[in-house]
Amino acid sequence: MLDTEILLTIKLQQQLFVDPKRITLLKEIRACGSINQAAKNAKVSYKSAWDHLEAMNAISPKPLLERNTGGKNGGGTVLTSYAERLLQLYDLLAQTQEKAFHILQDESIPLNSLLTATAKFSLQSSARNQFFGQVSQLTENDVLCYVEIAIANFSQNLTACITTQSAKRLNLVLGKEVMLMVKAPWIQIHRQNPETINSFPAVISDFYDKGEYQEITLNIGEGECYATAIKTHPFTLQEKVWVSIDPEQIVLVTL
């Protein structure tokens, strides 16, 4: 496991806004309510702390600190709600940077796609089937929109059916990158061509018997998908079958 340290710096108006030292200082102020004590905890001089705070406030869109008068200790300095959100954002960005660096070790993850990389290190879903592709056609039919998507390594395009409002909300246009999610039980396996939309030939490459069900891995072109089936008529290894997916059981995700 690599011991990495990624230091995040944010600039505003081409000037330093926050860096790890300034974030530490803000967190110490939040913890103790005193600039003087925060400077000691952050191991910087009081003057240096003031210089950092003044530099941040000079370019900050909103105030970062406010004086809290009164109280049994005579008041102190507290962070504004904007400063609190800044700390939360900084922590989120730091976590994202760390995860982004970790995907460098996995050569199966392409780094030329923001959606693919984001999904791999951020999204967690119970849907085992997650495909990535580009919108190749949009067809509106009253309140529904049929979205045809070209998927790399698949023998043919897949079509998803969503509402026209959802298509607008996702800002779907030709060429836009999307992720399709399909739960394994929604993948239907047939021994004959059902001749329906989203039906294509496949080969069973692996399966696992589990009670009354089979968990099945299928090769589709050079791609792969997962399905579950009742063992009433069990499937066998390397059996050639047909697979179908209801367009309304495809969930689309995009950035």
Side-chain angles (χ1 to χ4, degrees), residues 79-199:
L79 302 187
T80 63
S81 59
Y82 180 79
E84 292 282 4
R85 287 178 57 80
L86 175 62
L87 292 181
Q88 291 176 331
L89 175 65
Y90 190 91
D91 286 342
L92 283 176
L93 291 174
Q95 292 173 37
T96 301
Q97 283 193 140
E98 185 69 20
K99 289 187 176 182
F101 183 78
H102 286 165
I103 70 172
L104 178 64
Q105 316 307 317
D106 188 347
E107 296 186 1
S108 68
I109 302 176
L111 296 180
N112 60 349
S113 165
L114 177 61
L115 177 61
T116 304
T118 300
K120 291 294 184 181
F121 72 74
S122 297
L123 295 178
Q124 299 294 325
S125 169
S126 61
R128 293 190 65 189
N129 298 294
Q130 299 180 3
F131 312 121
F132 297 89
Q134 292 183 327
V135 176
S136 61
Q137 186 172 328
L138 292 164
T139 304
E140 292 189 7
N141 183 7
D142 294 328
V143 298
L144 298 178
C145 180
Y146 290 87
V147 186
E148 188 173 324
I149 299 138
I151 301 174
N153 301 324
F154 264 46
S155 57
Q156 67 186 64
N157 295 349
L158 281 179
T159 298
C161 179
I162 61 177
T163 66
T164 54
Q165 288 300 316
S166 292
K168 291 177 181 178
R169 182 172 55 83
L170 295 175
N171 193 28
L172 296 184
V173 293
L174 296 183
K176 183 159 187 175
E177 190 175 26
V178 294
M179 180 174 74
L180 301 82
M181 297 196 300
V182 186
K183 297 183 69 173
W186 297 347
I187 304 282
Q188 300 297 314
I189 306 176
H190 315 268
R191 285 194 161 90
Q192 294 182 345
N193 186 355
E195 297 182 357
T196 60
I197 192 170
N198 290 341
S199 62

Side-chain angles (χ1 to χ4, degrees), residues 21-35:
K21 290 184 178 179
R22 291 182 174 182
I23 289 296
T24 297
L25 180 60
L26 289 176
K27 287 182 177 180
E28 291 295 343
I29 293 174
R30 180 178 62 184
C32 65
S34 164
I35 297 176

